Amino acid sequence: MKYVYVFACHEDEQALCEMELRALLGADAVIGARYAISARKIEPSRSPFLKLRLAVELEAGSLAELAAMVSSHPVTGATFKVMFAPTGEPVLYDRQREIERELGRHLRGQAEMRRPAQWFAVTALDGRWLFGDCAHGEAVWLQHQQKPQNYSTALPTRIARAVVNLAVPDAAGTLVDPCCGIGTVLIEALSMGIDSVGFDLNPLAVRGARVNLRHFGLPEVVGVADMRALAPHGGSDAGAEPASVSPAPYDALVLDMPYNLCSKLPEAEALEMLEAARRLARRAVILTTEEIDPLLAKAGLRIVDRCLAHKGRFSRQVIVCERA
């Protein structure tokens, strides 16, 4: 089985979107301007960019041939609807609606336009017509933008969700955010069912993170600690507050490097943080406004992928690393 995923992103997010898709769908995924093709099946709601997933069950060289095949395709839902999946092929809007109606007439079942029990999708790609079950992505991350505690320089929620997928693409590992701030990354990770924990040096930030986690009904797995003192098991030599943590070393870590518009993080301190990141997890996603490639190498971290993530005029490097 192969799957066609349709995604949408702003041009400023294109590089991050493609990097996330490579992590979720595998390096052999085919990524086009608005679609990706992969043998991997993931829930579209995991990504802030994916709109739908089409399971390719039927494939034909012409629409007429596809319609003939659809006539014997099983409909398992009480009602159904066919939609055209826009993959970037030059198919006009009115023509898309005609295609939906044409295939719908050939299916044996009860059509329902508003709330169908089963969705099908059809699309055209590289001269071929594809048809199959359709799953829609739900923009879960949108509701997480309405946090009780927030600040202007916090990581945007959409970027945070993509970064979590870069860190734990299979959603089965453990994640630590050792500079969690108000918990933006933790909220996205926990909402995807990823076993996660966070720490921050600032008690006020930890308090805000707890408020935000509680607001969304998520466990308050945060504590006060300097990441440089965190032990691999999640404890601290600096008296960190207890938090519900999983056995470590963690599978992944997300680190949004501290920055200040008026000053620069001392290089020695940045290196200590990167060395701690390597100690705490096998895989790390580092976000930074500074050039840190030499420090990553010095800390024993190897870069496996990277891009720039933009927020207006403000840009962060998103760097995926593994232990060298």
Side-chain angles (χ1 to χ4, degrees), residues 8-298:
C9 62
H10 188 273
E11 60 181 9
D12 285 348
E13 302 168 322
Q14 185 77 28
L16 177 62
C17 173
E18 291 181 3
M19 189 161 79
E20 184 208 43
L21 290 176
R22 287 194 296 272
L24 291 174
L25 301 179
D28 58 346
V30 177
I31 301 177
R34 297 181 62 183
Y35 70 91
I37 302 174
S38 174
R40 291 188 185 180
K41 181 181 181 181
I42 65 167
E43 290 301 318
S45 297
R46 278 205 62 188
S47 168
F49 306 113
L50 290 179
K51 298 302 179 184
L52 63 85
R53 181 193 69 224
L54 188 167
V56 181
E57 297 169 302
L58 301 176
E59 185 172 347
S62 69
L63 188 60
E65 182 185 352
L66 183 65
M69 297 168 70
V70 163
S71 63
S72 59
H73 190 72
V75 177
T76 57
T79 58
F80 73 87
K81 181 177 180 178
V82 178
M83 67 167 292
F84 189 92
T87 54
E89 293 282 333
V91 181
L92 297 177
Y93 178 84
D94 289 344
R95 178 58 178 153
Q96 292 179 17
R97 304 292 83 78
E98 290 174 4
I99 293 168
E100 293 169 352
R101 290 191 292 268
E102 173 67 17
L103 295 182
R105 283 194 292 269
H106 284 77
L107 283 167
R108 298 179 180 180
Q110 178 64 46
E112 166 59 49
M113 297 299 101
R114 293 187 177 181
R115 295 183 178 178
Q118 185 175 12
W119 284 85
F120 294 103
V122 57
T123 195
L125 269 179
D126 299 326
R128 304 287 293 174
W129 290 90
L130 312 176
F131 179 90
D133 273 315
C134 175
H136 289 86
E138 181 184 355
V140 178
W141 58 276
L142 274 177
Q143 61 184 287
H144 298 157
Q145 291 183 332
Q146 309 305 316
K147 294 185 282 290
Q149 301 292 314
N150 216 332
Y151 54 83
S152 60
T153 56
L155 195 64
T157 305
R158 189 165 180 163
I159 292 178
R161 195 168 185 89
V163 163
V164 170
N165 285 326
L166 290 173
V168 194
D170 60 4
T174 54
L175 175 73
V176 61
D177 183 350
C179 296
C180 68
I182 56 169
T184 305
V185 166
L186 288 176
I187 290 169
E188 297 311 309
L190 291 167
S191 73
M192 287 189 269
I194 297 172
D195 188 5
S196 308
V197 63
F199 299 94
D200 201 281
L201 186 59
N202 185 345
L204 293 179
V206 169
R207 187 181 304 169
R210 287 174 176 158
V211 170
N212 287 335
L213 290 165
R214 191 181 312 126
H215 177 77
F216 294 112
L218 298 170
E220 298 170 35
V221 285
V222 289
V224 177
D226 184 333
M227 72 169 292
R228 294 170 296 179
L230 284 173
H233 55 70
S236 170
D237 298 329
E241 295 180 23
S244 300
V245 298
S246 299
Y250 300 98
D251 294 302
L253 171 147
V254 172
L255 173 59
D256 190 5
M257 296 288 286
Y259 62 90
N260 189 299
L261 297 178
C262 301
S263 63
K264 184 177 180 179
L265 183 69
E267 185 174 292
E269 185 176 339
L271 178 59
E272 289 174 354
M273 295 178 72
L274 295 174
E275 289 173 337
R278 183 189 184 281
R279 184 174 68 249
L280 289 168
R282 291 179 285 271
R283 180 179 176 91
V285 180
I286 312 294
L287 296 101
T288 176
T289 61
E290 304 289 343
E291 173 57 53
I292 61 168
D293 286 20
L295 294 181
L296 290 170
K298 196 170 183 179

